[in-house]
Amino acid sequence: QVQLVESGGGLVQPGGSLRLSCAASRSIDSFNSMGWYRQVPGKQRDMVARFTSGGTTDYADSVKGRFTISRDNAKNTMYLQMNSLEPEDTAVYYCAADWYHDNQGFGAWGQGTQVTVSS
């Protein structure tokens, strides 16, 4: 069973920065895709940034130019650098990964970390 553990959330003022981390319990090289999602109460969970199965990166339009996804395979950790934060970025941020085993697809979510952007 794969475990994903997020950290790095908190309270930040508008215009500030945060870096989220997602530590995986196994090699992230084995994942088909991996990414960050966010959710506010009463709304669906939306993709923020991700590494696609083709090895490229994909960003939501609302965060392009402000957020950067990265990974350290040696540490089995994925990051989300968030700059120029806006109140609209307030949400619970989740990391997620999916992989295949014996031709079956599997997925996992982290427990989430709260990001609050407020003055």
Side-chain angles (χ1 to χ4, degrees), residues 27-86:
S27 171
I28 62 175
D29 281 345
S30 62
F31 294 149
N32 179 59
S33 68
M34 192 175 185
W36 290 96
Y37 297 75
R38 66 187 182 188
Q39 188 172 26
V40 298
K43 294 192 175 182
Q44 67 180 21
R45 192 171 296 185
D46 293 325
M47 190 276 293
V48 176
R50 63 177 180 153
F51 291 101
T52 70
S53 58
T56 60
T57 55
D58 190 21
Y59 291 91
D61 287 342
S62 60
V63 307
K64 283 180 181 177
R66 300 189 298 122
F67 291 11
T68 303
I69 190 171
S70 63
R71 58 197 287 171
D72 185 336
N73 290 353
K75 295 182 179 180
N76 294 329
T77 301
M78 177 179 66
Y79 303 98
L80 184 68
Q81 178 66 44
M82 306 187 293
N83 298 329
S84 302
L85 282 161
E86 303 168 353

